[in-house]
């Protein structure tokens, strides 16, 4: 993934928001306000992390820095940003998943496709 325009980034973020909203569309309205904020942040971070990952794959996690006669290997700024953001992404994603209904202590994760398959099975 090369450097993306703001428009392309916005499209990818919107696609991720839609995907997440589909997963969280059945949560109670009282939790939806919190979920919406987290969904927006998680979608943004996911796209940003993908861009950072691509830069790290292309340039590597470190590069040779030269200042006059002094040469040293330094961390790629993308690597540093990625390391910070992945921790925050994981935390936000975890908080978002905790908003899903739980059954026997486990998160229930049902999409429309699974629900439709169950309905067809019950009709049989």
């Amino acid at each position: 993934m090369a450097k993306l325009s703001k428009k392309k980034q916005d499209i990818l973020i919107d696609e991720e928001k839609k995907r997440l909203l589909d997963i969280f569309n059945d949560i109670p309205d009282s939790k939806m306000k919190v979920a919406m904020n987290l969904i927006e942040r998680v979608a943004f971070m996911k796209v940003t992390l993908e861009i950072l990952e691509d830069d790290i794959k292309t340039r590597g996690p470190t590069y040779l820095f030269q200042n006059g006669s002094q040469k040293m290997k330094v961390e790629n700024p993308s690597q540093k940003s990625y390391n910070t953001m992945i921790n925050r992404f994981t935390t936000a994603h975890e908080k978002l998943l905790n908003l899903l209904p739980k059954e026997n202590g486990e998160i229930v994760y049902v999409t429309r496709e699974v629900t439709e398959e169950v309905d067809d099975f019950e009709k049989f």
Side-chain angles (χ1 to χ4, degrees):
M1 181 183 299
K3 184 168 167 98
L4 301 175
S5 68
K6 182 184 177 324
K7 184 177 179 179
K8 180 64 176 170
Q9 287 179 39
D10 288 342
I11 290 169
L12 292 172
I13 291 168
D14 286 341
E15 287 173 1
E16 181 63 12
K17 278 196 258 186
K18 288 175 189 169
R19 187 185 75 80
L20 290 169
L21 281 170
D22 189 46
I23 295 169
F24 291 91
N25 67 347
D26 292 334
I27 66 172
D29 289 339
S30 60
K31 291 183 177 182
M32 189 49 110
K33 288 180 183 179
V34 173
M36 282 302 300
N37 190 25
L38 285 170
I39 286 170
E40 289 177 15
R41 295 303 122 233
V42 167
F44 169 79
M45 285 191 278
K46 181 177 186 276
V47 171
T48 303
L49 285 167
E50 289 172 355
I51 294 167
L52 291 169
E53 284 175 11
D54 186 56
D55 184 63
I56 294 164
K57 287 176 189 174
T58 303
R59 298 183 194 194
T62 60
Y63 67 95
L64 188 61
F65 176 76
Q66 186 171 352
N67 186 10
S69 63
Q70 184 181 17
K71 294 180 183 178
M72 66 183 93
K73 239 183 182 178
V74 295
E75 185 176 28
N76 182 340
S78 293
Q79 180 72 47
K80 194 172 255 186
S81 297
Y82 181 87
N83 289 342
T84 301
M85 188 173 289
I86 193 70
N87 290 326
R88 293 185 177 133
F89 172 80
T90 303
T91 301
H93 202 268
E94 188 176 286
K95 288 183 185 296
L96 191 55
L97 288 176
N98 285 335
L99 295 174
L100 287 173
K102 293 179 178 63
E103 204 171 274
N104 298 328
E106 294 183 17
I107 294 175
V108 178
Y109 180 80
V110 178
T111 62
R112 281 193 196 121
E113 294 83 26
V114 172
T115 306
E116 289 170 5
E117 288 175 18
V118 171
D119 291 344
D120 290 341
F121 180 74
E122 289 175 357
K123 290 176 187 175
F124 177 71

